[in-house]
Structures are given as C-alpha cells and as structure tokens.
Amino acid sequence: MERLAGRVILLWGWRRALLAFAAGAFAVLAHPPFDFFAAPFLSFPILAWLLDGAVFRAPAPLWRRLTPFLAVGWWWGFGYFLAGLWWVGSALLVEAEQFAWALPFAVLGLPMVMAVFFGLGAAFARPFWSDGLGRIAALAFGFGLAEWLRGWALTGFPWNPIGFAAMPVPLLMQSVGVVGTTGMNVLSVFVYAAPALLGTRRGAVAGLSLALLLGAAHLGYGWWRLQAPLGEATGTLSVRIVQPNIDLTEKWEGPAQERIFATTMALSKPPPSDAQAPPALVLWPETSVPFLFNERPDALQAIGEMLGPDQLLLAGAVRAESDPSGGDARYYNALVAVSGEGVIADAVDKVHLVPFGEYLPFSGLFARWGVDTLVAGPMNFAAGPARRLLMLPGGVVAAPFICYEIIFPDLVMEAAAGADVIVNVTNDAWFGDTAGPYQHLRQAQIRAVETGRPVLRAANNGISAIIDARGRIADALALNARGAIDGRVPLHARADRFFLAPEEVGILILCFFFAGGSISLLRRKVRVN
C-alpha cells in the first residue's frame, strides 16, 4: 500500500488530473442505480494521496498554496459530477431540433460548475493538512463544508451528496435521522478516506479503528431502528398513485390532450385491487393535467363524477393567474386538490423552481440573443409565494413537494414538522431511462428517514412509490411502466426525536472535525518547533 501511495503522490501534470478525474467518476458507482457502496473506499484514498503530492514552492502567498489543492479537488469533482449528472442532457433531446445546441453546456457545464465546490472542499482542508490522521479529519471537514455550501449556494443543488454513498439500503439509511445529511457527508468522507492512512502508516491504527467504530455504529443503529416501533399509531391513509407514462414528445394540444387525460382517468377509475373501499386519496404526477383547469370545466366535472364524495384528487397541473394590470398571465407549477364535487378545493404552487428549466435566470440578457427558455417545458413558471400544507381526507395533513424540491433537507424538514405524510409529485420522463430517476427516488427515501414521515411519490414514467417512515419501499411501479398502485399508509406520531434536529447535529459534527484538523496541525507545529 505504501508503494501505491508513493506512486500516486509523485504523479504530476496531466496524469495527476486524469487520475483525480477517474477517481471521482468511480465514486459515482456508490449511487443508484449501481449502489456499489464500496467504490469510495478506493476513490477517497486516491484523492488524499493526490493532495499529499499537491505541493508548492515556499514561500508563497496563500492563494498559490491553495491552488494545487483546489485543482486536484476540482478534477476529482468534475469526474464525480460528470459521471453522476450526464443524464441531465436527456431533457434537451426531447425536442432535439430546438434544444440540442445546448447539450454541451448542460452535460459539461453543470459538472464543471459543481466541481468548483469540491475544489473549494480540498482548499478548505489545505490549511489543516498534515501527514497523519489529522489530514483525514481535515478532508472530511473540507468536503462536508463544501457539501453544505452546495445545498444553498446558487439556489442550491444537493444532488448525489457524498453521504448518500453510505446509504444504499434502508438498513444503512437510519443514521441520517440522527446526524442529518451534513453529518453523513462528513462522517462518510472520513470513513472512506481512512484507508489512505495505510499508505503513510502515521495514525493508521487510530484512524482505521475510529472508522471501523463509526461503521459498526452506523450498521448497529440501522438494525436497531428498523426493529423499533414507529411510534403511536394515529390512523391510516388509503391512496392510489397513478403513473400514466405519457410520452413527452406528444404536443399537449388537440387530440393529444384528450388522449392524455383519458389515459390518466382510466388508471384512476378501477376499484382497489384488494376489493376494499375506494382510496381516500388519488395522486397524479407533476403537470399530469394537459390543460388549464379554468379553460376546461368539463374536465373538473368528469373528475367529480369519477371521485366519491369522500375522495380527493391531488393532481399536478399548470395554474394560471391573470395580471390585473393587463400584463402577461403568470403560470405556476402547482399541485391542485379536486374534491368529489368536481371543484378545486385547494392548490399549492412550487416555490423552489429549477433554474434554466422552469425559469430563465438573467432572462433580459438571454432575450437579447433570442433565447427565452432552455428546456422544452410548457412555459416559464413563476415561483409560488410561500409553502403551505394540504389537508387530506380524514384530517390527514400533507407536506407537498413538487419535483426536485424533495432534494433539500432543510426545506423538507421544516415543512414536514407539522405534517402526517409527505407528498412528492414529479415528471422524470425528461431524463429517460437513465440513472436520474433512480437517484431522485433515493432522495425521497432519505427524506422519509430524516423526517420520520411516509412519502407518497407519483412520477409520470416512474419511479412511483409508497415509502414508509424508515425509507423502505412498500410498493412501487417500475420505470417506464403504466399503471397504478393502491396502498394503506400507516400514520404514526414521532416517538424518536432527539434534543437537536438532524441537520443541527450535522453542523456540530462538522465543527468537531474542524477542531480535530486544527488540533492535529497545532501538534505538528509543536513537534517541528
């Protein structure tokens, strides 16, 4: 191992960049659909050894000392995000004749920007870098801080966080309910990078022992939590989740509108498979209604005739508001509640929109070049003014999240605190048969564990699922399948809350590793002096 570490440390130039890129790309195998959780055990030691060799000529100003670390971290991150996010380009191929020109900007540009965060993560670790265990703590701190920044900077995009690599199955997801995603990011980097100590020997016994202890605690707590009761039962919610699998290349106008609506209605009508009473809730995916409800009162009437008096439909739809001053109408990506009387009982609008997908940042600048959107969606959307809960039949309270809103831990934790169940509607058909839909489903599973709330997920082409409060999938429809799933979702009061919220615990862990790296650096300076 020392010989291998030495060869990696001595790499230079393009060979160093190429190995960093390959190591980052290899780490993505730990994410869905592969879930090879051991991949980072190779990727992070290589990263640590590359950073060991990221030297500079002394004396040098601070920015020059940070540059070699930033470069290695950026190349590692570029490989990680390119291998993990290449599928975003599929959205531009839905109408390739109009949007294919932007494919290089999406497939390469997004990973290049995201890689800056991991470059910064390596740079954050540089001031505390040493030759022993302290550098592993410094790397965990640096990447943990970078992942925390990635969650909110530039509107936030915490997709495939490092910590998810250690959570491929519900048994290994339970720790996130205590330490949050931030804590899992920090601890995962430490455990994954600990084998790098075998290459330099200094601190290997202590570091590997701590990593083994953390791994055992992670596994043991997961086993215990899956055996523990969910809490006091507060009721059940019967639901039908519809997955219509509509082809996005169809234009939502004329005959296609009627066919899409008829398909979705037909999947919603059949009696439950277990011959019990009709479900209290019927759930349709994001933008599953192919027209504006205010232009089609007959559609509302048809839904009312389909539903029973005690049923409710939650349908993803576009909602329009006219401008009182006579300007252009505003359109919202919404989740609309339709009652058994065929009337709109409530609606919530998406608050956190996708940049360049649902709205165009710097639209005035792009307009000069004749560009008004970069994704083949129905229109540019306006953001909803505030997040609200929805009341479901039987007094059940739902926290609704549209599409990628589910990927933000703080946002979901805050809203789900006053809810019995989380509802997530999405349309992942934009990304075809790629890793994207599987990765998106994993986000919903993790949110269920963090919040202790079941998740009802409706996706146009999959993966629709009923997820319990421990992240276990009770039932699901395969990707690109057409159908519906019925389920009775048990609801429970939270019985396992700790003094601090998971993300607060995660911040404390981040601070702990900052202190660990600092102490190691101080001890090294004392030895030198």
Side-chain angles (χ1 to χ4, degrees):
M1 188 70 79
E2 292 178 75
R3 187 174 180 181
L4 175 61
R7 295 183 66 178
V8 172
I9 290 171
L10 293 176
L11 286 176
W12 199 251
W14 66 267
R15 292 179 178 86
R16 169 178 292 273
L18 181 61
L19 181 58
F21 175 88
F26 187 74
V28 173
L29 292 176
H31 294 293
F34 308 104
D35 286 329
F36 181 48
F37 76 96
F41 279 116
L42 176 61
S43 296
F44 274 99
I46 288 175
L47 173 62
W49 294 332
L50 288 171
L51 293 175
D52 285 338
V55 296
F56 59 93
R57 291 186 178 181
L62 178 62
W63 67 268
R64 189 177 294 276
R65 284 177 285 168
L66 294 179
T67 298
F69 268 60
L70 194 150
V72 170
W74 186 90
W75 278 109
W76 196 96
F78 184 44
Y80 182 85
F81 290 112
L82 182 61
L85 294 174
W86 62 269
W87 47 266
V88 300
S90 300
L92 300 169
L93 298 178
V94 173
E95 294 186 357
E97 69 284 356
Q98 186 176 357
F99 298 104
W101 64 268
L103 193 62
F105 297 97
V107 175
L108 296 176
L110 179 60
M112 291 174 71
V113 172
M114 290 294 103
V116 171
F117 289 99
F118 284 176
L120 291 174
F124 293 149
R126 173 64 188 89
F128 312 103
W129 205 256
S130 62
D131 57 354
L133 176 59
R135 77 191 200 279
I136 307 302
L139 187 63
F141 161 73
F143 267 62
L145 180 57
E147 287 285 44
W148 178 78
L149 288 172
R150 189 159 68 96
W152 59 266
L154 303 175
T155 78
F157 190 59
W159 197 279
N160 284 353
I162 295 293
F164 278 25
M167 299 186 282
V169 294
L171 175 66
L172 298 177
M173 294 177 188
Q174 305 310 310
S175 299
V176 78
V178 179
V179 303
T181 300
T182 297
M184 286 301 301
N185 289 333
V186 177
L187 296 172
S188 296
V189 172
F190 180 85
V191 172
Y192 281 133
L197 297 168
L198 294 172
T200 53
R201 297 296 181 182
R202 185 182 296 275
V205 173
L208 291 175
S209 297
L210 180 55
L212 286 172
L213 181 62
L214 288 171
H218 180 49
L219 182 64
Y221 179 73
W223 179 86
W224 172 81
R225 197 170 188 236
L226 289 182
Q227 314 306 315
L230 286 168
E232 179 184 355
T234 59
T236 60
L237 174 67
S238 58
V239 61
R240 162 162 293 179
I241 299 177
V242 175
Q243 183 171 300
N245 192 26
I246 301 301
D247 187 352
L248 292 184
T249 61
E250 291 186 322
K251 298 289 186 179
W252 285 14
E253 54 189 37
Q257 281 189 342
E258 301 305 322
R259 185 169 63 254
I260 292 169
F261 185 63
T263 297
T264 310
M265 288 284 286
L267 293 170
S268 308
K269 286 179 180 178
S273 56
D274 56 7
Q276 294 181 358
L281 175 67
V282 179
L283 185 62
W284 291 1
E286 178 189 20
T287 58
S288 53
V289 180
F291 40 70
L292 300 176
F293 271 133
N294 59 354
E295 296 178 353
R296 292 292 303 274
D298 60 308
L300 286 173
Q301 181 180 353
I303 292 173
E305 293 172 353
M306 176 193 71
L307 297 174
D310 298 323
Q311 289 182 287
L312 184 75
L313 169 69
L314 287 183
V318 176
R319 194 179 68 83
E321 279 187 1
S322 58
D323 188 341
S325 62
D328 294 337
R330 287 191 173 189
Y331 296 95
Y332 298 89
N333 189 351
L335 189 60
V336 177
V338 183
S339 69
E341 289 77 31
V343 298
I344 295 177
D346 203 350
V348 292
D349 302 321
K350 187 175 183 181
V351 176
H352 200 132
L353 300 177
V354 181
F356 299 103
E358 293 173 311
Y359 76 100
L360 191 63
F362 314 111
S363 56
L365 177 62
F366 280 101
R368 296 180 183 177
W369 302 335
V371 177
D372 59 357
T373 184
L374 290 180
V375 172
M379 69 277 294
N380 286 321
F381 291 111
R387 192 168 306 283
R388 294 191 300 107
L389 301 177
L390 283 173
M391 187 66 68
L392 304 183
V396 177
V397 180
F401 299 96
I402 299 174
C403 191
Y404 95 142
E405 288 184 320
I406 197 74
I407 76 173
F408 297 94
D410 291 343
L411 185 156
V412 177
M413 285 289 293
E414 180 181 359
D420 301 303
V421 65
I422 294 171
V423 170
N424 177 217
V425 297
T426 187
N427 184 4
D428 292 345
W430 292 106
F431 307 110
D433 191 2
T434 66
Y438 296 94
Q439 294 172 4
H440 204 181
L441 174 66
R442 180 60 46 80
Q443 294 272 3
Q445 286 182 271
I446 301 302
R447 298 292 91 81
V449 179
E450 284 177 334
T451 61
R453 299 287 190 265
V455 175
L456 307 178
R457 188 174 195 268
N460 172 32
N461 71 318
I463 302 167
S464 300
I466 298 174
I467 306 169
D468 77 2
R470 295 292 187 259
R472 294 169 292 203
I473 297 177
D475 201 357
L477 285 165
L479 188 65
N480 296 323
R482 175 174 289 172
I485 51 176
D486 297 319
R488 298 187 66 84
V489 182
L491 306 175
H492 298 85
R494 287 297 300 268
D496 57 350
R497 296 303 299 158
F498 296 89
F499 293 107
L500 297 175
E503 281 302 297
E504 293 173 339
V505 176
I507 295 298
L508 289 179
I509 291 173
L510 186 66
C511 294
F512 174 82
F513 276 84
F514 171 79
S518 301
I519 292 171
S520 177
L521 179 62
L522 290 174
R523 291 181 61 185
R524 181 189 178 195
K525 288 184 176 180
V526 169
R527 287 199 309 269
V528 172
N529 295 332

